[in-house]
Amino acid sequence: MAQGNMLGTGLIDDQALALAQKEWRLFQRVRNYGGPAACQFHQDTFLAMRCSQFMAWPPVVRERYERDLDQAAAEGRNLVAEKYAYMMRDTFPKEYAALADRLPAVSPQKEELVRRILSYVMAWSEEMEKKYPWLMAVSRPVHAGQDALGTSIETYTRGELETFSMQTLALLLEHYQEMSARRINIHEVTVGITVRLYGFQSLEDAERLVEQRMGKRLS
């Protein structure tokens, strides 16, 4: 789906880019089983994906999340590494069991906030599967039961949310509730930003191209 340089397009705001770059530096320090992961060598892709997510958040959520990153770093912790560790509960349960006691415990109160936020994410993702099936086919699978095909949106999002502070989660939930009331699909907003960073005019243009390419492979 590559169509030119994703960064330097003028579409990414400075706050989102600075936050994504901070995460990238943390990501470079994540120790992956079996050596560095392939995605740790693709900075532009990482920044485009993370900027797309951050630009779908209001500035107050971004600022609060950056405080989470900074506070964790001051304590000698890497929230990006913890995110991937929490994901392993579903994707690599044996390996997760060996390191679970080194991760911050997730309180029942945090679990409830994560559950409520995740319910919006899943509903929006399922809606996207119906509206843009070809784009979603080349993205993460939606449900945790599909993790064998690649880390799902459900597993990835839960792992990430579990690293957020209660304050960040509360602000994000408020934002998602507002967007839902306005019938705005945040997943659609995020992917819409991503495809524009790749040079497409719209989600519909990207959907048509993926359908053409996938159709040729299947024929």
Side-chain angles (χ1 to χ4, degrees):
M1 197 166 66
Q3 286 201 332
N5 194 327
M6 292 169 282
L7 304 179
T9 60
L11 295 174
I12 299 176
D13 71 53
D14 291 342
Q15 186 190 37
L17 181 57
L19 186 52
Q21 288 171 330
K22 180 172 288 191
E23 279 198 333
W24 172 255
R25 292 189 291 272
L26 293 170
F27 188 43
Q28 292 303 290
R29 298 203 292 269
V30 174
R31 294 182 180 179
N32 183 57
Y33 282 95
C39 52
Q40 289 178 293
F41 297 101
H42 298 287
Q43 182 177 12
D44 277 5
T45 301
F46 178 93
L47 294 177
M49 296 298 180
R50 297 305 289 166
C51 283
S52 297
Q53 175 169 315
F54 297 145
M55 289 169 66
W57 292 355
V60 66
V61 178
R62 300 182 210 170
E63 291 164 5
R64 180 59 251 190
Y65 173 56
E66 186 168 19
R67 288 174 64 186
D68 292 350
L69 290 173
D70 292 343
Q71 182 174 342
E75 297 170 358
R77 295 165 46 222
N78 180 336
L79 287 194
V80 176
E82 289 179 8
K83 169 176 69 176
Y84 287 99
Y86 284 127
M87 289 183 213
M88 290 169 61
R89 181 176 48 227
D90 295 311
T91 56
F92 296 97
K94 290 183 180 179
E95 290 82 354
Y96 174 79
L99 56 80
D101 60 351
R102 285 177 272 163
L103 292 170
V106 180
S107 69
Q109 292 80 7
K110 177 177 280 193
E111 285 182 354
E112 177 59 17
L113 280 176
V114 168
R115 184 195 65 77
R116 293 175 65 186
I117 293 170
L118 192 57
S119 68
Y120 287 105
V121 174
M122 296 304 293
W124 287 328
S125 298
E126 290 166 1
E127 182 179 316
M128 282 288 287
E129 280 191 308
K130 296 175 182 176
K131 193 170 182 179
Y132 301 104
W134 292 98
L135 273 175
M136 292 297 287
V138 296
S139 182
R140 295 181 182 277
V142 173
H143 299 280
Q146 300 170 292
D147 279 332
L149 302 174
T151 305
S152 65
I153 291 170
E154 183 175 6
T155 295
Y156 183 96
T157 304
R158 181 185 292 110
E160 179 165 79
L161 293 175
E162 288 175 343
T163 69
F164 292 2
S165 67
M166 293 291 287
Q167 296 93 328
T168 302
L169 290 171
L171 288 170
L172 189 60
L173 177 59
E174 182 180 350
H175 175 56
Y176 281 7
Q177 288 171 330
E178 180 183 349
M179 294 301 99
S180 179
R182 294 169 57 187
R183 299 187 181 279
I184 295 174
N185 182 325
I186 291 296
H187 193 152
E188 185 170 352
V189 172
T190 301
V191 179
I193 295 169
T194 301
V195 300
R196 288 196 296 277
L197 291 176
Y198 275 93
F200 295 97
Q201 293 299 310
S202 66
L203 282 163
E204 288 73 20
D205 286 345
E207 174 78 1
R208 280 192 294 271
L209 179 63
V210 174
E211 181 178 6
Q212 290 170 4
R213 291 184 176 178
M214 293 290 286
K216 287 179 181 179
R217 292 180 188 176
L218 296 173
S219 62

